Every structure is written in structure tokens, then in C-alpha cells.
mmCIF file of all heavy atoms in Angstrom:
data_model
loop_
_atom_site.group_PDB
_atom_site.id
_atom_site.type_symbol
_atom_site.label_atom_id
_atom_site.label_comp_id
_atom_site.label_asym_id
_atom_site.label_seq_id
_atom_site.Cartn_x
_atom_site.Cartn_y
_atom_site.Cartn_z
ATOM 1 N N ASN V 1 109.603 247.446 112.367
ATOM 2 C CA ASN V 1 108.574 246.510 111.897
ATOM 3 C C ASN V 1 109.128 245.561 110.832
ATOM 4 O O ASN V 1 108.370 244.902 110.123
ATOM 5 C CB ASN V 1 107.349 247.269 111.366
ATOM 6 C CG ASN V 1 107.685 248.205 110.220
ATOM 7 O OD1 ASN V 1 108.823 248.258 109.756
ATOM 8 N ND2 ASN V 1 106.693 248.956 109.758
ATOM 9 N N LEU V 2 110.443 245.499 110.735
ATOM 10 C CA LEU V 2 111.195 244.625 109.829
ATOM 11 C C LEU V 2 111.125 245.045 108.367
ATOM 12 O O LEU V 2 111.633 244.325 107.504
ATOM 13 C CB LEU V 2 110.771 243.155 109.955
ATOM 14 C CG LEU V 2 111.373 242.355 111.108
ATOM 15 C CD1 LEU V 2 111.102 240.867 110.921
ATOM 16 C CD2 LEU V 2 112.862 242.591 111.276
ATOM 17 N N LEU V 3 110.515 246.191 108.060
ATOM 18 C CA LEU V 3 110.552 246.679 106.685
ATOM 19 C C LEU V 3 111.926 247.270 106.400
ATOM 20 O O LEU V 3 112.579 247.835 107.271
ATOM 21 C CB LEU V 3 109.461 247.722 106.445
ATOM 22 C CG LEU V 3 108.026 247.187 106.440
ATOM 23 C CD1 LEU V 3 107.035 248.331 106.240
ATOM 24 C CD2 LEU V 3 107.822 246.117 105.371
ATOM 25 N N ASP V 4 112.344 247.146 105.152
ATOM 26 C CA ASP V 4 113.660 247.617 104.738
ATOM 27 C C ASP V 4 113.736 249.142 104.779
ATOM 28 O O ASP V 4 112.768 249.839 104.468
ATOM 29 C CB ASP V 4 113.945 247.121 103.318
ATOM 30 C CG ASP V 4 115.265 247.634 102.791
ATOM 31 O OD1 ASP V 4 116.303 247.204 103.307
ATOM 32 O OD2 ASP V 4 115.251 248.475 101.873
ATOM 33 N N ASN V 5 114.897 249.650 105.110
ATOM 34 C CA ASN V 5 115.112 251.092 105.216
ATOM 35 C C ASN V 5 116.183 251.503 104.227
ATOM 36 O O ASN V 5 117.359 251.200 104.412
ATOM 37 C CB ASN V 5 115.543 251.445 106.643
ATOM 38 C CG ASN V 5 115.437 252.929 106.926
ATOM 39 O OD1 ASN V 5 114.795 253.665 106.181
ATOM 40 N ND2 ASN V 5 116.051 253.357 108.003
ATOM 41 N N HIS V 6 115.757 252.225 103.165
ATOM 42 C CA HIS V 6 116.739 252.670 102.156
ATOM 43 C C HIS V 6 117.799 253.568 102.747
ATOM 44 O O HIS V 6 118.994 253.295 102.457
ATOM 45 C CB HIS V 6 115.980 253.368 101.011
ATOM 46 C CG HIS V 6 116.851 253.877 99.903
ATOM 47 N ND1 HIS V 6 117.559 255.038 100.005
ATOM 48 C CD2 HIS V 6 117.152 253.379 98.675
ATOM 49 C CE1 HIS V 6 118.234 255.251 98.876
ATOM 50 N NE2 HIS V 6 117.999 254.253 98.066
ATOM 51 N N PRO V 7 117.510 254.620 103.543
ATOM 52 C CA PRO V 7 116.196 255.146 103.933
ATOM 53 C C PRO V 7 115.623 256.085 102.872
ATOM 54 O O PRO V 7 116.399 256.588 102.071
ATOM 55 C CB PRO V 7 116.524 255.910 105.221
ATOM 56 C CG PRO V 7 117.942 256.358 105.045
ATOM 57 C CD PRO V 7 118.626 255.300 104.239
ATOM 58 N N PRO V 8 114.279 256.374 102.863
ATOM 59 C CA PRO V 8 113.251 255.846 103.751
ATOM 60 C C PRO V 8 112.892 254.404 103.371
ATOM 61 O O PRO V 8 113.625 253.765 102.606
ATOM 62 C CB PRO V 8 112.073 256.789 103.506
ATOM 63 C CG PRO V 8 112.224 257.187 102.067
ATOM 64 C CD PRO V 8 113.708 257.291 101.853
ATOM 65 N N PHE V 9 111.740 253.941 103.918
ATOM 66 C CA PHE V 9 111.292 252.576 103.624
ATOM 67 C C PHE V 9 111.231 252.333 102.132
ATOM 68 O O PHE V 9 110.695 253.117 101.367
ATOM 69 C CB PHE V 9 109.908 252.338 104.246
ATOM 70 C CG PHE V 9 109.143 251.204 103.605
ATOM 71 C CD1 PHE V 9 109.674 249.922 103.547
ATOM 72 C CD2 PHE V 9 107.890 251.412 103.058
ATOM 73 C CE1 PHE V 9 108.981 248.872 102.945
ATOM 74 C CE2 PHE V 9 107.180 250.384 102.464
ATOM 75 C CZ PHE V 9 107.733 249.104 102.403
ATOM 76 N N GLN V 10 111.815 251.201 101.729
ATOM 77 C CA GLN V 10 111.764 250.737 100.347
ATOM 78 C C GLN V 10 111.817 249.219 100.411
ATOM 79 O O GLN V 10 112.732 248.657 100.998
ATOM 80 C CB GLN V 10 112.946 251.303 99.561
ATOM 81 C CG GLN V 10 112.777 251.257 98.062
ATOM 82 C CD GLN V 10 113.829 252.092 97.348
ATOM 83 O OE1 GLN V 10 113.811 253.313 97.414
ATOM 84 N NE2 GLN V 10 114.743 251.429 96.682
ATOM 85 N N ILE V 11 110.878 248.539 99.793
ATOM 86 C CA ILE V 11 110.660 247.118 100.080
ATOM 87 C C ILE V 11 111.644 246.184 99.391
ATOM 88 O O ILE V 11 111.778 245.018 99.768
ATOM 89 C CB ILE V 11 109.206 246.735 99.709
ATOM 90 C CG1 ILE V 11 108.756 245.502 100.506
ATOM 91 C CG2 ILE V 11 109.074 246.517 98.197
ATOM 92 C CD1 ILE V 11 107.263 245.255 100.450
ATOM 93 N N ASP V 12 112.396 246.669 98.404
ATOM 94 C CA ASP V 12 113.295 245.794 97.651
ATOM 95 C C ASP V 12 114.324 245.103 98.535
ATOM 96 O O ASP V 12 114.712 243.961 98.280
ATOM 97 C CB ASP V 12 113.996 246.559 96.524
ATOM 98 C CG ASP V 12 114.429 247.953 96.941
ATOM 99 O OD1 ASP V 12 114.517 248.233 98.157
ATOM 100 O OD2 ASP V 12 114.672 248.790 96.049
ATOM 101 N N GLY V 13 114.783 245.774 99.599
ATOM 102 C CA GLY V 13 115.756 245.157 100.489
ATOM 103 C C GLY V 13 115.207 243.942 101.211
ATOM 104 O O GLY V 13 115.954 242.981 101.490
ATOM 105 N N ASN V 14 113.906 243.961 101.546
ATOM 106 C CA ASN V 14 113.294 242.772 102.149
ATOM 107 C C ASN V 14 113.357 241.583 101.202
ATOM 108 O O ASN V 14 113.735 240.468 101.587
ATOM 109 C CB ASN V 14 111.834 243.047 102.510
ATOM 110 C CG ASN V 14 111.674 243.932 103.726
ATOM 111 O OD1 ASN V 14 111.442 245.131 103.599
ATOM 112 N ND2 ASN V 14 111.803 243.356 104.906
ATOM 113 N N PHE V 15 112.961 241.824 99.954
ATOM 114 C CA PHE V 15 112.945 240.732 98.980
ATOM 115 C C PHE V 15 114.364 240.288 98.614
ATOM 116 O O PHE V 15 114.647 239.095 98.509
ATOM 117 C CB PHE V 15 112.186 241.165 97.731
ATOM 118 C CG PHE V 15 110.734 241.469 97.977
ATOM 119 C CD1 PHE V 15 110.146 242.617 97.473
ATOM 120 C CD2 PHE V 15 109.943 240.613 98.723
ATOM 121 C CE1 PHE V 15 108.801 242.900 97.688
ATOM 122 C CE2 PHE V 15 108.603 240.884 98.949
ATOM 123 C CZ PHE V 15 108.030 242.028 98.429
ATOM 124 N N GLY V 16 115.261 241.259 98.428
ATOM 125 C CA GLY V 16 116.640 240.916 98.096
ATOM 126 C C GLY V 16 117.345 240.203 99.230
ATOM 127 O O GLY V 16 118.136 239.276 99.002
ATOM 128 N N GLY V 17 117.063 240.623 100.478
ATOM 129 C CA GLY V 17 117.672 239.959 101.622
ATOM 130 C C GLY V 17 117.245 238.508 101.728
ATOM 131 O O GLY V 17 118.062 237.610 101.991
ATOM 132 N N ALA V 18 115.950 238.246 101.514
ATOM 133 C CA ALA V 18 115.455 236.863 101.553
ATOM 134 C C ALA V 18 116.037 236.044 100.404
ATOM 135 O O ALA V 18 116.387 234.863 100.584
ATOM 136 C CB ALA V 18 113.932 236.855 101.502
ATOM 137 N N ALA V 19 116.142 236.650 99.227
ATOM 138 C CA ALA V 19 116.764 235.945 98.098
ATOM 139 C C ALA V 19 118.210 235.603 98.423
ATOM 140 O O ALA V 19 118.708 234.537 98.040
ATOM 141 C CB ALA V 19 116.685 236.805 96.838
ATOM 142 N N GLY V 20 118.892 236.495 99.161
ATOM 143 C CA GLY V 20 120.270 236.231 99.569
ATOM 144 C C GLY V 20 120.375 235.050 100.506
ATOM 145 O O GLY V 20 121.312 234.234 100.405
ATOM 146 N N ILE V 21 119.439 234.928 101.442
ATOM 147 C CA ILE V 21 119.425 233.771 102.350
ATOM 148 C C ILE V 21 119.273 232.484 101.547
ATOM 149 O O ILE V 21 119.993 231.500 101.766
ATOM 150 C CB ILE V 21 118.291 233.913 103.380
ATOM 151 C CG1 ILE V 21 118.559 235.102 104.310
ATOM 152 C CG2 ILE V 21 118.127 232.630 104.184
ATOM 153 C CD1 ILE V 21 117.372 235.488 105.179
ATOM 154 N N MET V 22 118.340 232.485 100.596
ATOM 155 C CA MET V 22 118.123 231.288 99.787
ATOM 156 C C MET V 22 119.333 230.992 98.901
ATOM 157 O O MET V 22 119.683 229.824 98.675
ATOM 158 C CB MET V 22 116.857 231.458 98.940
ATOM 159 C CG MET V 22 116.512 230.265 98.062
ATOM 160 S SD MET V 22 116.399 228.688 98.957
ATOM 161 C CE MET V 22 114.998 229.005 100.025
ATOM 162 N N GLU V 23 120.006 232.030 98.418
ATOM 163 C CA GLU V 23 121.165 231.815 97.546
ATOM 164 C C GLU V 23 122.334 231.198 98.307
ATOM 165 O O GLU V 23 123.168 230.499 97.711
ATOM 166 C CB GLU V 23 121.582 233.136 96.895
ATOM 167 C CG GLU V 23 122.430 232.990 95.655
ATOM 168 C CD GLU V 23 121.679 232.394 94.465
ATOM 169 O OE1 GLU V 23 120.427 232.417 94.470
ATOM 170 O OE2 GLU V 23 122.350 231.922 93.524
ATOM 171 N N MET V 24 122.417 231.438 99.612
ATOM 172 C CA MET V 24 123.437 230.758 100.417
ATOM 173 C C MET V 24 123.205 229.249 100.419
ATOM 174 O O MET V 24 124.139 228.463 100.530
ATOM 175 C CB MET V 24 123.400 231.261 101.862
ATOM 176 C CG MET V 24 123.745 232.716 102.067
ATOM 177 S SD MET V 24 123.660 233.100 103.841
ATOM 178 C CE MET V 24 123.394 234.871 103.809
ATOM 179 N N LEU V 25 121.941 228.866 100.280
ATOM 180 C CA LEU V 25 121.553 227.460 100.411
ATOM 181 C C LEU V 25 121.464 226.738 99.077
ATOM 182 O O LEU V 25 121.818 225.566 98.985
ATOM 183 C CB LEU V 25 120.203 227.360 101.131
ATOM 184 C CG LEU V 25 120.091 228.076 102.480
ATOM 185 C CD1 LEU V 25 118.681 227.934 103.032
ATOM 186 C CD2 LEU V 25 121.121 227.554 103.458
ATOM 187 N N VAL V 26 120.940 227.417 98.044
ATOM 188 C CA VAL V 26 120.723 226.779 96.743
ATOM 189 C C VAL V 26 121.111 227.759 95.637
ATOM 190 O O VAL V 26 120.577 228.873 95.581
ATOM 191 C CB VAL V 26 119.251 226.358 96.544
ATOM 192 C CG1 VAL V 26 119.091 225.639 95.208
ATOM 193 C CG2 VAL V 26 118.761 225.494 97.683
ATOM 194 N N GLN V 27 122.019 227.349 94.770
ATOM 195 C CA GLN V 27 122.374 228.143 93.597
ATOM 196 C C GLN V 27 122.062 227.312 92.353
ATOM 197 O O GLN V 27 122.583 226.211 92.188
ATOM 198 C CB GLN V 27 123.845 228.549 93.643
ATOM 199 C CG GLN V 27 124.148 229.465 94.827
ATOM 200 C CD GLN V 27 125.576 229.917 94.896
ATOM 201 O OE1 GLN V 27 126.273 229.982 93.878
ATOM 202 N NE2 GLN V 27 126.043 230.255 96.092
ATOM 203 N N ASP V 28 121.207 227.879 91.496
ATOM 204 C CA ASP V 28 120.641 227.137 90.373
ATOM 205 C C ASP V 28 121.185 227.688 89.059
ATOM 206 O O ASP V 28 120.862 228.813 88.666
ATOM 207 C CB ASP V 28 119.109 227.266 90.427
ATOM 208 C CG ASP V 28 118.413 226.477 89.338
ATOM 209 O OD1 ASP V 28 119.095 225.785 88.565
ATOM 210 O OD2 ASP V 28 117.169 226.560 89.263
ATOM 211 N N PHE V 29 122.023 226.909 88.395
ATOM 212 C CA PHE V 29 122.568 227.286 87.094
ATOM 213 C C PHE V 29 122.025 226.388 85.983
ATOM 214 O O PHE V 29 122.721 226.086 85.020
ATOM 215 C CB PHE V 29 124.096 227.243 87.126
ATOM 216 C CG PHE V 29 124.711 228.194 88.107
ATOM 217 C CD1 PHE V 29 125.298 227.732 89.267
ATOM 218 C CD2 PHE V 29 124.659 229.562 87.888
ATOM 219 C CE1 PHE V 29 125.860 228.603 90.177
ATOM 220 C CE2 PHE V 29 125.219 230.448 88.792
ATOM 221 C CZ PHE V 29 125.820 229.976 89.947
ATOM 222 N N ARG V 30 120.794 225.921 86.175
ATOM 223 C CA ARG V 30 120.085 225.081 85.219
ATOM 224 C C ARG V 30 120.692 223.691 85.121
ATOM 225 O O ARG V 30 120.127 222.738 85.633
ATOM 226 C CB ARG V 30 120.000 225.750 83.845
ATOM 227 C CG ARG V 30 119.280 227.096 83.868
ATOM 228 C CD ARG V 30 119.282 227.765 82.526
ATOM 229 N NE ARG V 30 118.499 227.040 81.543
ATOM 230 C CZ ARG V 30 118.475 227.323 80.260
ATOM 231 N NH1 ARG V 30 119.207 228.321 79.791
ATOM 232 N NH2 ARG V 30 117.723 226.626 79.425
ATOM 233 N N GLU V 31 121.841 223.558 84.487
ATOM 234 C CA GLU V 31 122.437 222.231 84.341
ATOM 235 C C GLU V 31 123.169 221.796 85.610
ATOM 236 O O GLU V 31 123.434 220.611 85.805
ATOM 237 C CB GLU V 31 123.403 222.210 83.146
ATOM 238 C CG GLU V 31 124.731 222.920 83.352
ATOM 239 C CD GLU V 31 124.667 224.440 83.287
ATOM 240 O OE1 GLU V 31 123.576 224.975 82.989
ATOM 241 O OE2 GLU V 31 125.705 225.087 83.523
ATOM 242 N N GLU V 32 123.504 222.754 86.465
ATOM 243 C CA GLU V 32 124.195 222.465 87.722
ATOM 244 C C GLU V 32 123.493 223.184 88.870
ATOM 245 O O GLU V 32 123.086 224.341 88.730
ATOM 246 C CB GLU V 32 125.657 222.919 87.669
ATOM 247 C CG GLU V 32 126.518 222.151 86.689
ATOM 248 C CD GLU V 32 127.954 222.650 86.671
ATOM 249 O OE1 GLU V 32 128.200 223.797 87.115
ATOM 250 O OE2 GLU V 32 128.822 221.898 86.207
ATOM 251 N N VAL V 33 123.382 222.491 89.993
ATOM 252 C CA VAL V 33 122.784 223.070 91.194
ATOM 253 C C VAL V 33 123.734 222.827 92.361
ATOM 254 O O VAL V 33 124.178 221.692 92.590
ATOM 255 C CB VAL V 33 121.396 222.455 91.499
ATOM 256 C CG1 VAL V 33 120.881 222.927 92.853
ATOM 257 C CG2 VAL V 33 120.405 222.830 90.395
ATOM 258 N N TYR V 34 124.049 223.911 93.080
ATOM 259 C CA TYR V 34 124.943 223.836 94.229
ATOM 260 C C TYR V 34 124.123 223.953 95.507
ATOM 261 O O TYR V 34 123.412 224.944 95.710
ATOM 262 C CB TYR V 34 125.982 224.952 94.185
ATOM 263 C CG TYR V 34 126.981 224.836 93.055
ATOM 264 C CD1 TYR V 34 126.655 225.271 91.764
ATOM 265 C CD2 TYR V 34 128.245 224.297 93.272
ATOM 266 C CE1 TYR V 34 127.558 225.160 90.724
ATOM 267 C CE2 TYR V 34 129.162 224.185 92.232
ATOM 268 C CZ TYR V 34 128.813 224.621 90.966
ATOM 269 O OH TYR V 34 129.719 224.507 89.942
ATOM 270 N N LEU V 35 124.221 222.971 96.378
ATOM 271 C CA LEU V 35 123.566 223.008 97.676
ATOM 272 C C LEU V 35 124.566 223.445 98.735
ATOM 273 O O LEU V 35 125.708 222.960 98.766
ATOM 274 C CB LEU V 35 123.001 221.632 98.033
ATOM 275 C CG LEU V 35 122.022 221.013 97.032
ATOM 276 C CD1 LEU V 35 121.522 219.661 97.550
ATOM 277 C CD2 LEU V 35 120.849 221.946 96.757
ATOM 278 N N LEU V 36 124.150 224.368 99.593
ATOM 279 C CA LEU V 36 124.987 224.915 100.672
ATOM 280 C C LEU V 36 126.277 225.515 100.114
ATOM 281 O O LEU V 36 127.342 225.434 100.737
ATOM 282 C CB LEU V 36 125.304 223.843 101.711
ATOM 283 C CG LEU V 36 124.112 223.078 102.302
ATOM 284 C CD1 LEU V 36 124.595 222.155 103.420
ATOM 285 C CD2 LEU V 36 123.045 224.024 102.822
#
């Protein structure tokens, strides 16, 4: 059901995995931002 498996189910991997996808695309260091 796409929920993260520690195991057992633990939701942090879902949130961390999505944050990882976004970090591949945008990295924000306040004064500098890296795209892709």
C-alpha cells in the first residue's frame, strides 16, 4: 500500500523518501539555491 516498512510499518521513510526526491531537484542554503 506504499507505506514505508522499517519493518514493521513506520511512516518516516515515506516522508524522508519524498524529501529526498525534492532534494535532488532543489537544495536551499538560504543565500544559495541549487537547481537539479
Side-chain angles (χ1 to χ4, degrees):
N1 59 4
L2 279 192
L3 290 178
D4 177 69
N5 195 15
H6 180 281
F9 159 57
Q10 198 168 290
I11 204 167
D12 40 18
N14 286 99
F15 297 133
I21 294 169
M22 181 54 65
E23 200 68 19
M24 296 181 203
L25 307 178
V26 183
Q27 296 181 26
D28 183 3
F29 298 108
R30 300 177 66 189
E31 74 284 355
E32 293 180 340
V33 172
Y34 293 81
L35 304 182
L36 307 186

